[in-house]
Amino acid sequence: MNQNLLVSIIINNYNYGSFIAEAIDSALNQTYSPIEVIVVDDGSTDNSREIIASYGDKIIPVLKKNGGQASAYNAGVAATSGEIICFLDSDDFFLPEKVALVVKVFQANSEIGWCFNTVKLIDDKTNQELGLTRQSGVGKCDFRDSVINGTSLYVPPSSGLCFRRSLLAQILPIPEVFINGADGYPMKAAPVLSPGFMFEQALTIMRVHGDNNSTYRQDRPQLQTKNILTAYFLRAKFPQLAKVCNRMFAKGLSAYWKYKVIYVRYGVPYQGHRKSIADYFTLLSLLEKIEIILRAIYYSFPQKATNSINLALK
């Protein structure tokens, strides 16, 4: 592999004018070169675009109408030229050595298609560390067999994800129904398609603030309904993920029974929810349908289900 391979950093932004400059600066100030920084603004109505314009030709701006996070990722990738592509949310930032370490891993391991790293969470107001994201491995990892057998993985959020272009080409486009949480699609697809690498050290900082969509938001359980859409689109394209998707769908279905709609963002329901559920069931065998219904009942009443099982086993 070329020792000076180009790395593309995609920053997706919507109304995070108070954060975006630090995200851009962290991308531009990487110890590695060459890099290109693509900043996708998804129709912001605050001062984001003025900030983006102030960087001139240091970055590649992609200014689009509001379409949601998945559409921003798709537009950003289309504007890249790099062999390695890294995602960065505009309210997060990279540590200076991140890209250099990621490139070193890709160069040393020609067979891997993805490289993920731990993300450190900090309180935006106090700058206090709140913890680290969990992940399912350290170093070189090959989860293909375990994922096919139904093992769910702990994978960092979008700002901890980097991909080889050739692997990302197999995954994209991300279905644009995902207004938020679009990272769930590539992060779950990548480990079943290719070996990868997980950094134990935190190379990305995620801010926890009042406008996070789901991180540290215990007040938004209705967002679990989005598992239905994630499961449907993943299983339709990657049938080898069937077992993982069935469990994900069951969790989403249990939430749907409570909230009656699928939420793609807090307060924003997905209008095609009934069809998505019906379409998913058409992909299933009778045994899978029964298993999903039982799992959804269990997820809806976990303590009652556990008590009943324990009583039956006595």
Side-chain angles (χ1 to χ4, degrees):
M1 185 180 292
N2 188 336
Q3 294 299 308
N4 295 315
L5 62 90
L6 177 65
V7 175
S8 303
I9 301 174
I10 300 173
I11 301 175
N12 74 95
N13 177 71
Y14 176 68
N15 282 347
Y16 275 164
S18 59
F19 300 124
I20 190 172
E22 189 168 4
I24 295 174
D25 289 343
S26 76
L28 292 174
N29 293 329
Q30 289 296 300
T31 60
Y32 176 86
S33 67
I35 62 168
E36 61 177 10
V37 180
I38 293 88
V39 182
V40 184
D41 186 77
D42 190 40
S44 292
T45 57
D46 63 358
N47 65 335
S48 292
R49 294 200 172 184
E50 288 77 8
I51 295 171
I52 292 168
S54 72
Y55 284 88
D57 60 4
K58 295 180 181 178
I59 64 174
I60 300 172
V62 178
L63 308 179
K64 60 185 289 295
K65 294 181 180 180
N66 182 251
Q69 192 177 48
S71 70
Y73 283 147
N74 291 336
V77 173
T80 63
S81 301
E83 174 66 23
I84 305 302
I85 299 173
C86 302
F87 289 169
L88 176 60
D89 288 344
S90 58
D91 54 339
D92 303 334
F93 58 92
F94 287 165
L95 296 185
E97 67 276 14
K98 168 169 174 164
V99 171
L101 292 171
V102 167
V103 170
K104 185 177 181 180
V105 165
F106 275 117
Q107 289 177 327
N109 302 277
S110 60
E111 74 278 16
I112 69 170
W114 52 270
C115 183
F116 300 163
N117 65 262
T118 299
V119 174
K120 180 187 294 185
L121 285 69
I122 63 169
D123 186 290
D124 181 57
K125 293 183 178 178
T126 65
N127 212 38
Q128 178 182 356
E129 181 179 335
L130 299 175
L132 301 171
T133 56
R134 292 187 292 174
Q135 56 185 44
S136 291
V138 176
K140 191 185 297 186
C141 304
D142 190 344
F143 297 120
R144 287 176 292 182
D145 289 341
S146 59
V147 171
I148 289 172
N149 289 326
T151 300
S152 296
L153 303 179
Y154 291 112
V155 178
S158 53
S159 296
L161 309 180
C162 299
F163 303 90
R164 202 182 294 276
R165 171 180 289 277
S166 57
L167 177 65
L168 205 52
Q170 298 177 52
I171 299 172
L172 268 58
I174 303 173
E176 296 192 358
V177 300
F178 295 111
I179 298 175
N180 276 85
D183 53 347
Y185 188 83
M187 74 167 60
K188 292 183 183 299
V192 80
L193 296 174
S194 167
F197 191 97
M198 284 191 169
F199 278 103
E200 186 175 20
Q201 65 199 98
L203 302 177
T204 306
I205 307 299
M206 173 188 283
R207 292 188 179 89
V208 176
H209 51 82
D211 199 33
N212 293 105
N213 185 58
S214 57
T215 304
Y216 269 67
R217 298 305 299 257
Q218 301 300 320
D219 59 328
R220 295 180 175 178
Q222 60 268 56
L223 291 177
Q224 295 177 16
T225 58
K226 190 174 62 180
N227 282 323
I228 290 173
L229 295 178
T230 305
Y232 172 71
F233 285 108
L234 281 172
R235 174 154 181 172
K237 188 168 184 177
F238 308 106
Q240 60 268 53
L241 280 171
K243 291 184 178 181
V244 169
C245 289
N246 286 352
R247 294 181 182 183
M248 193 187 318
F249 184 85
K251 288 182 179 180
L253 186 62
S254 69
Y256 173 79
W257 288 344
K258 182 175 182 180
Y259 299 106
K260 309 304 180 186
V261 294
I262 299 173
Y263 287 92
V264 290
R265 189 178 188 276
Y266 180 68
V268 180
Y270 175 61
Q271 299 302 320
H273 55 280
R274 295 181 186 275
K275 185 177 186 303
S276 296
I277 294 172
D279 286 349
Y280 193 87
F281 274 106
T282 65
L283 302 174
L284 306 176
S285 67
L286 177 59
L287 185 60
E288 286 178 306
K289 292 176 183 178
I290 294 171
E291 180 184 354
I292 283 175
I293 295 297
L294 292 176
R295 283 187 180 276
I297 293 171
Y298 175 83
Y299 293 139
S300 297
F301 311 101
Q303 192 57 56
K304 290 182 179 180
T306 301
N307 291 343
S308 298
I309 291 171
N310 289 337
L311 184 61
L313 293 175
K314 285 184 178 179

